[in-house]
Amino acid sequence: MSIGSKPVLLDEKKQPRRRHLYEGRTKTLFDGPDPGTFVLYFKDNCKRQDNKLVTGKGVINNRMSEMFMVRLNEIGVQTHFLRRLNMHEQLVRATEVLPFYVVVHNLAFGNFAKRLSLEEGVLLPEAIPEFQVKNKQVSDSVVSERHITTLGWADADELDCIKEMTQRINDFLCGQFIALGLRLMRYNLEFGRVYLSDYLSDTQIILIDEINVDSCSVLDIASGQRLDIDSLSDEDLRLCDQRSLYHKLAGRFGLLTPGGPTDLLNREENL
């Protein structure tokens, strides 16, 4: 340090630059600090409106996704979640992301009900999972198992694993929501492939991405009110305080109560 220069405190040091891997509307993915890890950053950006921020939303989504991933890990469902790093970020396992995702339908509504000529709001006898290709240009891009295996996106054994995991996840999540007077109508699940050794065939399918307000459509059973962004029209989005939707669900799961996470409560007081 040269004479007369200002000493640099430890907390003033700049954080090392991280390699940017993916930029989505609601999340950003960076290289992790250790080999085989990523850092997932939850943004405050609105899911449906570009360049609109919903203050505190990223914090709530981060904590809610952490809560569900930890609980799923505890019942033996392998996920990418390792630990939460701070209010907006979590450390996850690096995976090869599969080019399709699963939409789980527990109730018939929206485009799903229209496609199958079902009455809106009908409770399905059992959950119906649909595979959809990841394509931002096309909505409801449903594909069959034959599409997936023929195009080499996953083999038959991996698909069986995904279907079994989806059933177990749905049974667990529906119970978690029902216990709080909520019905999980529809939500998305994404899966990734982890290589366990140098052998290409030595792989494992695990749950990745997020489970939170942005990925779920939820119904309040008592009031019949939907508690998700997708239920709002564009006009409603302009008029209503979107934060209230995130706060309602976070509150039901105990994330905004006196017994909830301290950092989230502190953040909430500053909003």
Side-chain angles (χ1 to χ4, degrees):
M1 183 172 63
S2 61
I3 297 175
S5 63
K6 180 183 177 182
V8 178
L9 300 178
L10 290 177
D11 59 358
E12 292 179 347
K13 290 183 178 180
K14 293 183 179 180
Q15 295 295 321
R17 291 180 61 86
R18 299 179 295 185
R19 188 162 66 96
H20 180 275
L21 301 176
Y22 169 79
E23 185 73 35
R25 177 170 293 183
T26 61
K27 299 184 298 295
T28 305
L29 191 67
F30 299 97
D31 253 345
D34 302 310
T37 64
F38 294 148
V39 171
L40 190 60
Y41 178 89
F42 290 84
K43 300 159 66 174
D44 283 343
N45 297 62
C46 177
K47 176 184 176 182
R48 286 176 47 190
Q49 293 181 326
D50 292 329
N51 302 320
K52 183 175 180 61
L53 297 180
V54 182
T55 307
K57 172 205 154 191
V59 177
I60 289 175
N61 277 350
N62 185 24
R63 292 310 300 260
M64 186 170 289
S65 190
E66 173 196 15
M67 176 186 68
F68 286 128
M69 292 294 185
V70 167
R71 292 179 181 181
L72 287 169
N73 280 329
E74 289 174 347
I75 66 168
V77 175
Q78 296 297 313
T79 79
H80 71 163
F81 180 83
L82 294 174
R83 67 177 183 274
R84 182 171 56 87
L85 297 174
N86 52 51
M87 293 169 67
H88 277 272
E89 295 180 332
Q90 55 184 239
L91 186 69
V92 300
R93 296 174 67 183
T95 67
E96 178 185 330
V97 180
L98 301 181
F100 61 92
Y101 60 100
V102 182
V103 182
V104 183
H105 301 273
N106 289 306
L107 271 77
F109 72 98
N111 289 335
F112 177 82
K114 293 178 182 178
R115 282 193 285 113
L116 301 178
S117 299
L118 298 174
E119 182 181 348
E120 186 83 9
V122 168
L123 180 63
L124 300 173
E126 61 182 62
I128 298 179
E130 288 186 326
F131 296 106
Q132 294 198 18
V133 66
K134 293 181 180 179
N135 187 339
K136 295 181 180 180
Q137 307 303 320
V138 180
S139 60
D140 284 337
S141 50
V142 180
V143 294
S144 68
E145 294 183 29
R146 182 63 64 86
H147 283 101
I148 294 171
T149 55
T150 300
L151 295 174
W153 295 343
D155 60 34
D157 289 339
E158 289 176 325
L159 272 182
D160 287 342
C161 178
I162 290 171
K163 290 186 291 185
E164 181 179 342
M165 289 177 68
T166 297
Q167 181 64 57
R168 191 171 183 189
I169 292 167
N170 190 60
D171 290 343
F172 176 79
L173 290 181
C174 285
Q176 296 279 297
F177 279 80
I178 285 291
L180 299 175
L182 302 170
R183 192 176 299 282
L184 186 56
M185 300 191 296
R186 180 189 66 197
Y187 61 101
N188 300 338
L189 295 175
E190 294 199 30
F191 295 89
R193 182 183 293 114
V194 176
Y195 290 89
L196 304 176
S197 70
D198 292 335
Y199 295 96
L200 294 179
S201 59
D202 188 14
T203 62
Q204 180 184 27
I205 297 296
I206 64 174
L207 179 68
I208 64 170
D209 200 42
E210 61 179 330
I211 300 176
N212 53 41
V213 185
D214 279 345
S215 64
C216 300
S217 294
V218 181
L219 181 73
D220 183 285
I221 297 175
S223 67
Q225 178 187 10
R226 281 183 59 178
L227 302 177
D228 58 87
I229 295 296
D230 290 335
S231 66
L232 302 176
S233 66
D234 291 338
E235 182 65 21
D236 290 335
L237 285 173
R238 286 192 291 270
L239 296 176
C240 93
D241 180 4
Q242 297 177 48
R243 287 168 49 197
S244 64
L245 289 176
Y246 293 92
H247 292 177
K248 284 180 182 178
L249 275 179
R252 295 288 275 270
F253 280 97
L255 297 177
L256 293 178
T257 65
T262 303
D263 60 352
L264 186 56
L265 288 170
N266 290 340
R267 171 70 172 180
E268 183 68 13
E269 292 169 358
N270 295 326
L271 293 181

